[in-house]
Amino acid sequence: MGMTLAEKILARASGQERVTPGQYVTAQIDLAMAHEGLAAVFMNLARAGWTKVWDPSRIVALLDHYVPAPTERSAEIHKVVRAAVKQWGIQHFYGERAGICHQVLPEKGHILPGMLIVGTDSHTTTYGAFGAAGTGIGFTDMAYVFATGKLWFKVPETIRFDLQGKLPEGVMSKDIILSIAGKYSAEVAQYKAVEFIGPLAEEMSLASRMTMSNMAVEIGAKFGFFIPDQKVSDFLQGRGQTSFPLISPDADAPYEAIYQIEVSSLEPQVAYPYSVDNVRPVSEAQEVKIHQAFIGSCTNGRLEDLHMAVKILKGKKVHADVRLLIIPASWEIYQEAIKDGTLEALIDAGAVIGNSSCGPCFGAHMGLLGSEENCIAAINRNFKGRMGSQKAQVFLSSPATVAASALEGKITDPRNYL
Amino acid sequence: MEIIRGRVWKFGDNVDTDVITPGIYVDAPMEEMKKHVLEALNPRFAQEVSAGDILVAGKNFGCGSSRETAPDALKALGVAAVVAESFARIFFRNAIGIGLSVLPCPGVASLFQGGEEAELDILQAKVKNLSAGATLNGQPLHGDILEILSRGGTLPLLKSLAEKERIPKP
Ligand code: SF4
């Protein structure tokens, strides 16, 4: 019997001909990513008596969660990170002028199909959009990786989502993943690998794929793959990479389940507080007043997301009671959005543009919410207290729905503006 | 591994890492951070939890971010173990990595009410409600995981590796 993408990559990385779900393996890591979490990894290693890392060329470190440092405490963490990068001779470091890890690593050509990648961040699943097995781990596991280059893994079962049909205008890949969470729950893929396949998956832009791979972890997944194709090769052209093989699952690979997802009549979706699977179509979500609207993060801070926002906002003004915050996910995106007039159109409409970083996404940087405030956000989580006050509410949607809602001051169907 | 006995704190499904340790405190010193553990769900918890207590929760415990502060802060408060219907992957790994005992045990949410006494045998994957006298079998942990837990987590393992390789101490 053949193997799924997850099985192929874990077999290769653990030096075995084949692996099967449920098996425990020790695998060699191809690439390790750490953001501000590096400070904690550094301390863990020091506590264990290690003074060097297994391979400084296979580690990418960067600052993205608190950029620029909003507090003295976060400034101190940045200092520790910079010192660790120097001490260990880490070869790839990106400071304040790069952006969010999951956007920056692909842009800088670090992510290749078939790689096994761990990061100190749960949304490391984003790299699945390039056919890489990316997954989040904690600081202690990462200390073990930094020291030895290896980590234990349980080989996951794989489930497939077969994406069919054509997305209606104003409906985005974000709406697909939200509807999957709503229909099948936030743990449908718990401890499993996911493969997004089918004609629509093939048609999708890399940016749209990244949104879904990113949120694979929100349905519990360990990896969130698309099958790498020409689009991945084209993207990697000129990003410092030479050639690499495109990897695909075997035709007779075993799947635990295959779900058919037909999108032709899909509406824009909204996840209500406080869980990603508390989802309703936008038509059932009217009359929720909005104080803040946010487009950004590793989920929806890419150029196609900003372009969608411009389509809706151009020549209009954001509602007087709404603050619209837009944060391009990386410097590369920021610069492109300057060049093509995107930022100007957004600013004209009343948006505040933030520095490429996580921003308010995880509740420790600018753009936080006060009590009894509602925010509609094109991000990935709406947990209690995630964006400031524990008495605030975050509603998740696509950038299109965020933009339309910013115009009306309440949750609004973007199709009214297209 | 020793048998754990303790008082039960009950939580529901999808307890996420942001409510365990809110983002705004994750870069604070542990002494500060631990005061806010789970406060959005139960404001009494962080003040009243005592060493040896056991968390019993529903499905998908620890979903959300990779922040290791979540199991760290529970351990710092003295929580001896978490038993849940199911765990989110990263929390599960992190708990093992830092040496906090965890046991997936379908059905456990209805076995306990808050405040009852639990007895936990991680090795045998057995959970007992001492107050009500009922027992459940959890999903046994893999040998490699038990090995890490019995050493107190991954760092002690790394330490002995470092000593083996005679890496000079800083
Ligand atoms: S943008 Fe949000 S979800 Fe993405 S890495 Fe930053 S904090 Fe995490």
Side-chain angles (χ1 to χ4, degrees):
Chain A
M1 198 188 291
M3 288 190 284
T4 65
L5 274 179
E7 292 159 15
K8 276 192 173 176
I9 294 173
L10 286 174
R12 195 243 331 131
S14 61
Q16 306 187 56
E17 204 137 298
R18 58 176 304 116
V19 295
T20 46
Q23 186 182 343
Y24 281 71
V25 299
T26 299
Q28 188 73 40
I29 302 298
D30 296 311
L31 188 76
M33 183 281 290
H35 46 48
E36 279 92 338
L38 189 79
V41 178
F42 185 62
M43 285 184 291
N44 277 339
L45 277 181
R47 266 163 53 203
W50 287 80
T51 50
K52 54 177 190 178
V53 295
W54 109 97
D55 186 348
S57 73
R58 290 185 181 273
I59 298 175
V60 182
L62 75 177
L63 304 175
D64 63 358
H65 273 55
Y66 319 92
V67 171
T71 61
E72 196 179 330
R73 229 156 49 194
S74 45
E76 292 297 334
I77 287 175
H78 286 178
K79 272 174 65 183
V80 176
V81 170
R82 289 178 205 284
V85 165
K86 282 224 170 84
Q87 181 179 329
W88 290 329
I90 290 176
Q91 287 176 16
H92 312 285
F93 173 67
Y94 305 101
E96 278 80 358
R97 291 182 297 268
I100 306 168
C101 50
H102 307 310
Q103 184 62 28
V104 172
L105 264 68
E107 278 177 2
K108 303 289 185 189
H110 293 294
I111 308 299
L112 299 181
M115 276 183 148
L116 178 60
I117 304 166
V118 290
T120 56
D121 194 280
S122 55
H123 294 101
T124 304
T125 54
T126 312
Y127 309 140
F130 300 85
T135 198
I137 60 173
F139 306 141
T140 300
D141 272 347
M142 191 56 97
Y144 193 84
V145 170
F146 272 34
T148 67
K150 298 191 177 80
L151 196 64
W152 66 266
F153 288 92
K154 183 177 169 189
V155 179
E157 314 274 351
T158 299
I159 60 176
R160 278 188 147 177
F161 291 99
D162 187 355
L163 311 180
Q164 308 271 354
K166 192 172 155 27
L167 273 175
E169 166 132 68
V171 184
M172 303 179 73
S173 75
K174 175 67 163 285
D175 297 303
I176 305 178
I177 190 74
L178 286 177
S179 79
I180 287 175
K183 186 159 177 201
Y184 300 105
S185 95
E187 58 159 14
V188 60
Q190 190 59 264
Y191 236 112
K192 299 182 174 111
V194 164
E195 289 178 7
F196 296 106
I197 56 154
L200 179 60
E202 288 164 28
E203 218 173 86
M204 265 184 201
S205 68
L206 275 182
S208 294
R209 293 178 190 174
M210 287 172 83
T211 302
M212 294 189 70
S213 295
N214 176 274
M215 289 195 62
V217 69
E218 306 306 330
I219 53 171
K222 177 176 195 159
F223 306 125
F225 294 109
F226 281 78
I227 297 165
D229 59 6
Q230 191 58 37
K231 285 179 190 160
V232 173
S233 310
D234 292 348
F235 176 87
L236 287 169
Q237 276 281 321
R239 293 185 187 270
Q241 294 297 339
T242 44
S243 66
F244 53 87
L246 290 174
I247 184 176
S248 57
D250 293 323
D252 58 346
Y255 292 91
E256 195 191 70
I258 299 175
Y259 301 94
Q260 304 294 337
I261 310 291
E262 161 57 55
V263 304
S264 301
S265 55
L266 186 68
E267 268 191 61
Q269 306 282 309
V270 180
Y272 272 51
Y274 296 102
S275 154
V276 71
D277 56 4
N278 188 12
V279 172
R280 301 173 206 181
V282 72
S283 56
E284 293 170 24
Q286 311 293 356
E287 300 310 322
V288 176
K289 191 175 153 51
I290 292 301
H291 305 85
Q292 176 163 299
F294 172 39
I295 299 173
S297 84
C298 53
T299 309
N300 281 126
R302 281 173 277 280
L303 211 53
E304 92 175 15
D305 301 313
L306 307 188
H307 285 165
M308 177 57 95
V310 168
K311 226 171 166 179
I312 291 169
L313 293 168
K314 199 171 172 104
K316 303 191 184 65
K317 292 281 179 224
V318 165
H319 190 278
D321 297 337
V322 175
R323 23 188 221 270
L324 171 62
L325 176 59
I326 295 184
I327 304 186
S330 72
W331 266 55
E332 183 176 316
I333 294 167
Y334 202 124
Q335 285 170 321
E336 284 177 36
I338 289 178
K339 282 191 211 127
D340 72 5
T342 297
L343 291 193
E344 194 180 352
L346 294 173
I347 291 168
D348 282 347
V352 171
I353 312 293
N355 178 58
S356 294
S357 70
C358 297
C361 177
F362 86 116
H365 206 243
M366 59 185 188
L368 301 186
L369 304 172
S371 59
E372 324 298 336
E373 288 195 319
N374 293 338
C375 175
I376 185 154
I379 60 171
N380 48 40
R381 291 196 173 130
N382 58 354
F383 301 146
K384 213 172 210 173
R386 172 83 178 170
M387 200 185 279
S389 172
Q390 290 173 358
K391 296 197 182 100
Q393 302 196 91
V394 176
F395 299 78
L396 304 176
S397 76
S398 75
T401 307
V402 172
S405 305
L407 289 174
E408 296 205 3
K410 61 178 190 190
I411 295 181
T412 299
D413 190 332
R415 294 171 299 180
N416 300 343
Y417 287 91
L418 289 166
Chain B
M1 290 184 65
E2 288 167 23
I3 307 277
I4 301 167
R5 281 192 197 89
R7 180 176 52 146
V8 164
W9 289 84
K10 269 290 287 288
F11 290 92
D13 292 341
N14 298 317
V15 173
D16 63 76
T17 52
D18 279 78
V19 299
I20 301 174
T21 48
I24 197 78
Y25 303 112
V26 293
D27 63 351
M30 182 54 83
E31 281 315 300
E32 171 68 15
M33 183 171 23
K34 72 183 195 189
K35 290 185 203 151
H36 303 281
V37 170
L38 289 164
E39 68 184 1
L41 297 183
N42 183 349
R44 289 176 18 244
F45 175 74
Q47 286 142 34
E48 295 177 18
V49 66
S50 45
D53 286 359
I54 294 172
L55 253 59
V56 172
K59 287 187 290 192
N60 206 17
F61 187 88
C63 58
S65 81
S66 65
R67 64 184 70 156
E68 199 166 289
T69 52
D72 260 342
L74 290 173
K75 197 177 173 194
L77 284 169
V79 170
V82 185
V83 189
E85 299 273 335
S86 66
F87 287 90
R89 186 188 77 85
I90 306 180
F91 180 91
F92 186 71
R93 275 200 89 106
N94 284 346
I96 292 155
I98 64 142
L100 172 69
S101 291
V102 276
L103 187 70
C105 182
V108 75
S110 39
L111 188 69
F112 287 99
Q113 302 192 358
E116 291 182 327
E117 288 290 311
E119 183 181 281
L120 200 60
D121 183 342
I122 296 280
L123 209 57
Q124 303 298 328
K126 276 202 177 346
V127 189
K128 203 176 198 173
N129 183 334
L130 294 176
S131 309
T135 304
L136 252 187
N137 288 321
Q139 295 163 344
L141 301 181
H142 189 264
D144 293 358
I145 292 178
L146 287 170
E147 164 76 17
I148 297 172
L149 274 179
S150 68
R151 282 168 171 266
T154 300
L155 275 195
L157 202 77
L158 260 187
K159 215 179 234 165
S160 56
L161 270 182
E163 277 154 18
K164 246 194 247 156
E165 302 205 359
R166 290 212 193 82
I167 289 171
K169 294 243 158 61

